[in-house]
Amino acid sequence: DTAVSQTPKYLVTQMGNDKSIKCEQNLGHDTMYWYKQDSKKFLKIMFSYNNKELIINETVPNRFSPKSPDKAHLNLHINSLELGDSAVYFCASSHQGAGPYNEQFFGPGTRLTVL
Amino acid sequence: AQSVSQHNHHVILSEAASLELGCNYSYGGTVNLFWYVQYPGQHLQLLLKYFSGDPLVKGIKGFEAEFIKSKFSFNLRKPSVQWSDTAEYFCAARSNDYKLSFGAGTTVTVRA
């Protein structure tokens, strides 16, 4: 019944490795997002896809590459991991647009630790 | 782009006390406002939202927020907190694009 799910929940890896985080939503939404929450709990949007097209791309290192195989999935691939990438990554989804019913639903988060 | 500021970093209070968390946003045009809550170890959940109409918005779990346009504020309130309200609270704002800008969050600790 999980609306927005992410895997894995925890990810511990060495510097320099490449890793992926997967996100899936079963809400029928057409827009999905990736947020990064740093150690001070500050949440910042990284990417957003609408109908598999990139619509928001904040200032994020190009080591981060989102991929949306279909409307229900938005994966995040990170190359050459660095210590500063350690954070909690949240996926979210919503209907398109900024209307009153287009609230974002968040996944449980993936805690990434880079050693 | 929007910027959102939350005045309190950490609030500690006793059960049954009243809670008010401050939030200010920067955008002068049409804005949608949200309060999210993050319980320990859990994901963000929407408490309430404002799009238009009555500036006093009621949310879940007894929370409410008041939109004051002249002050660019959207403060969150609860008249009587419970231990289970211990969580991180985030104010967020969205203007004409899809971007949701979050404040830095306020940690609320309720002591039994």
Side-chain angles (χ1 to χ4, degrees):
Chain A
D1 285 76
T2 305
V4 183
S5 59
Q6 295 179 227
T7 53
K9 189 168 183 180
Y10 299 96
L11 184 53
V12 181
T13 188
Q14 300 283 337
M15 270 198 308
N17 283 351
D18 303 338
K19 290 293 177 186
S20 292
I21 307 172
K22 294 186 177 181
C23 178
E24 177 180 0
Q25 54 93 5
N26 62 6
L27 296 167
H29 291 157
D30 51 15
T31 305
M32 296 183 72
Y33 312 79
W34 276 110
Y35 288 86
K36 180 181 180 181
Q37 186 177 43
D38 62 23
S39 57
K40 295 183 179 177
K41 302 273 182 146
F42 185 67
L43 267 161
K44 187 168 169 52
I45 190 164
M46 300 172 68
F47 301 103
S48 177
Y49 269 73
N50 175 253
N51 284 318
K52 302 194 296 174
E53 288 190 27
L54 184 65
I55 56 170
I56 295 174
N57 185 356
E58 292 297 287
T59 308
V60 175
N62 57 15
R63 298 181 294 104
F64 289 78
S65 52
K67 284 187 172 54
S68 181
D70 55 59
K71 285 196 311 183
H73 296 84
L74 180 62
N75 303 325
L76 184 65
H77 188 75
I78 315 170
N79 289 327
S80 303
L81 278 155
E82 300 177 357
L83 292 176
D85 298 332
S86 295
V88 180
Y89 292 84
F90 285 99
C91 178
S93 73
S94 73
H95 286 299
Q96 184 180 4
Y101 304 106
N102 295 343
E103 65 186 76
Q104 292 183 21
F105 290 80
F106 284 80
T110 296
R111 183 174 293 276
L112 171 65
T113 303
V114 182
L115 304 175
Chain B
Q2 279 280 1
S3 76
V4 179
S5 60
Q6 292 182 237
H7 314 305
N8 315 98
H9 180 63
H10 193 179
V11 172
I12 302 172
L13 57 168
S14 300
E15 276 193 311
S18 65
L19 172 70
E20 179 159 1
L21 302 181
C23 172
N24 286 92
Y25 61 94
S26 64
Y27 188 65
T30 302
V31 65
N32 307 143
L33 298 160
F34 307 81
W35 275 98
Y36 281 86
V37 62
Q38 186 177 24
Y39 297 105
Q42 294 190 27
H43 62 283
L44 281 86
Q45 300 170 46
L46 184 69
L47 273 178
L48 47 78
K49 58 188 177 184
Y50 172 80
F51 282 78
S52 63
D54 189 344
L56 186 61
V57 180
K58 303 272 186 205
I60 61 171
K61 302 177 190 271
F63 285 91
E64 64 179 30
E66 186 174 11
F67 169 58
I68 303 179
K69 189 173 181 179
S70 60
K71 295 185 179 179
F72 294 82
S73 71
F74 189 57
N75 293 354
L76 181 71
R77 297 194 291 253
K78 185 169 184 178
S80 177
V81 295
Q82 301 171 314
W83 177 80
S84 57
D85 292 321
T86 294
E88 194 80 22
Y89 291 81
F90 293 93
C91 182
R94 183 175 64 199
S95 50
N96 294 329
D97 54 26
Y98 300 125
K99 294 182 193 178
L100 200 58
S101 298
F102 283 87
T106 299
T107 303
V108 173
T109 302
V110 180
R111 292 185 171 151

